[in-house]
Amino acid sequence: MTEDPFVAHRSLLFTVAYEMLGSAADAEDVVQESWLRWADVDRSQVRDPRAYLVRTVTRQALNRLRTLSRRREEYVGEWLPEPLLTSPDVAEDIELAESVSIAMLTVLETLGPTERAVFVLREVFDLPYGEIAEAIGKSAATVRQIARRAREHVAARRPRMRVSRSEQQAVVERFLAALRTGRVRELMEIMAPDVVMIADGGGVVAAARAPIHGVEEVAKLLARANQVVAAFETTPVWLNGAPAGRLAFDGEPSAVSLLVENGRIARIYVVRNPRKLTRLDVPAELAR
């Protein structure tokens, strides 16, 4: 008995949904909805199960994304993607690691639902325009135009350069060490002058409701982190395909991801909303 195609491609389907939604919880819901539809399909009529399943997940994710877009307009403070614990192996696929990075997912949030779906399916998963057209219900010519606009939009906002895994890891370790000591000077040395910190508390826990700009302001705020709580812990982890950190303020968890450029931290993403911190114990299985 051969393995069910849905089971064989489940990691791929989750990855497609997660990259479209930026939420693991919603991605799991979409995958489950797609499974229910797959269970009712006459398999003998499906020539390419992988393509069929990707189309199904895409349609369900698009429906969910349009609903989420309205909810996010009412979100308290800044909205960041839900971080995923990943194994170091994910970083071996450079394109996959970049596509699921917090920095890239944040850029994808600036696209409309259809543009995001087209960009993800074409640029990340390299689907033919005809298959994408079938998935989103538009012509191949229209999909080509959407893909071009989406590429230009993302190119203008994506991280300017990649850094090696070793460089990212070294910067993360220095950053976490400086956090533990609370030394402002050390924090300032590893951040770019125009560094930006974005925090997501969702109105559930304390977090800055607007981005913090500039090395001095960010360093001072971070240096106070271990001074205002009785217990402050930092742990290096792999999140979304890159070295990152897990923090605990008096037992309250947070996840921090860094965007490194030219050896310094350009962006700091801190997720404090506990509803988004449920995927930090078991590595997510991602695939292209």
Side-chain angles (χ1 to χ4, degrees), residues 20 54-56 58-60 62-63 66 113-114 117-118 121 128-144 146:
M20 285 184 60
V54 169
R55 287 197 300 271
T56 301
T58 298
R59 291 173 187 142
Q60 298 305 313
L62 264 176
N63 292 337
R66 292 178 178 121
T114 302
V118 170
L121 294 177
Y129 289 111
E131 284 189 24
I132 300 173
E134 192 172 347
I136 68 171
K138 296 186 181 294
S139 70
T142 298
V143 167
R144 287 178 182 273
I146 294 172

Side-chain angles (χ1 to χ4, degrees), residues 71-146:
R71 283 190 213 158
R72 288 172 191 172
E73 292 175 0
E74 303 170 354
Y75 196 78
V76 177
E78 295 291 313
W79 188 95
L80 288 174
E82 181 179 350
L84 295 177
L85 183 69
T86 53
S87 70
D89 293 343
V90 173
E92 298 296 334
D93 185 335
I94 294 174
E95 291 184 1
L96 175 61
E98 181 183 20
S99 70
V100 298
S101 70
I102 296 295
M104 177 57 78
L105 292 174
T106 302
V107 171
L108 294 184
E109 280 296 309
T110 63
L111 292 170
T114 302
E115 287 181 318
R116 183 167 183 168
V118 170
F119 181 87
V120 167
L121 294 177
R122 181 61 186 173
E123 299 301 312
V124 180
F125 297 97
D126 199 29
L127 262 63
Y129 289 111
E131 284 189 24
I132 300 173
E134 192 172 347
I136 68 171
K138 296 186 181 294
S139 70
T142 298
V143 167
R144 287 178 182 273
Q145 293 175 347
I146 294 172

Side-chain angles (χ1 to χ4, degrees), residues 45-275:
Q45 301 301 309
V46 179
R47 294 194 305 274
D48 185 343
R50 180 182 186 274
Y52 183 93
L53 289 167
V54 169
R55 287 197 300 271
T56 301
V57 163
T58 298
R59 291 173 187 142
Q60 298 305 313
L62 264 176
N63 292 337
R64 180 66 61 100
L65 187 56
R66 292 178 178 121
T67 301
L68 292 176
S69 296
R70 291 190 290 271
R71 283 190 213 158
R72 288 172 191 172
E73 292 175 0
E74 303 170 354
Y75 196 78
V76 177
E78 295 291 313
W79 188 95
L80 288 174
E82 181 179 350
L84 295 177
L85 183 69
T86 53
S87 70
D89 293 343
V90 173
E92 298 296 334
D93 185 335
I94 294 174
E95 291 184 1
L96 175 61
E98 181 183 20
S99 70
V100 298
S101 70
I102 296 295
M104 177 57 78
L105 292 174
T106 302
V107 171
L108 294 184
E109 280 296 309
T110 63
L111 292 170
T114 302
E115 287 181 318
R116 183 167 183 168
V118 170
F119 181 87
V120 167
L121 294 177
R122 181 61 186 173
E123 299 301 312
V124 180
F125 297 97
D126 199 29
L127 262 63
Y129 289 111
E131 284 189 24
I132 300 173
E134 192 172 347
I136 68 171
K138 296 186 181 294
S139 70
T142 298
V143 167
R144 287 178 182 273
Q145 293 175 347
I146 294 172
R148 177 181 53 79
R149 290 198 305 268
R151 276 195 302 270
E152 292 172 353
H153 181 97
V154 172
R157 294 164 176 80
R158 76 192 309 165
R160 290 188 288 274
M161 64 182 66
R162 293 171 176 161
V163 297
S164 67
R165 182 200 301 193
S166 60
E167 182 180 357
Q168 176 85 16
Q169 201 155 9
V171 172
V172 168
E173 289 173 358
R174 287 185 63 197
F175 175 77
L176 294 179
L179 269 185
R180 285 193 295 272
T181 60
R183 294 174 182 170
V184 175
R185 183 178 296 278
E186 291 182 11
L187 285 167
M188 292 179 67
E189 287 176 354
I190 56 177
M191 292 190 289
D194 57 350
V195 65
V196 178
M197 186 177 78
I198 302 171
D200 178 346
V204 181
V205 297
R209 295 194 177 185
I212 309 297
H213 295 263
V215 64
E216 291 188 6
E217 292 299 318
V218 173
K220 288 177 183 176
L221 181 63
L222 290 173
R224 290 200 298 268
N226 68 349
Q227 300 169 3
V228 297
V229 296
F232 176 61
E233 300 175 5
T234 66
T235 307
V237 293
W238 284 78
L239 298 178
N240 293 67
R246 181 172 181 169
L247 314 179
F249 303 86
D250 285 338
E252 286 188 359
S254 296
V256 58
S257 296
L258 307 178
L259 171 61
V260 178
E261 295 176 349
N262 296 319
R264 288 191 169 187
I265 300 167
R267 293 285 185 277
I268 303 171
Y269 304 99
V270 183
V271 178
R272 300 210 64 219
N273 186 344
R275 296 168 187 162

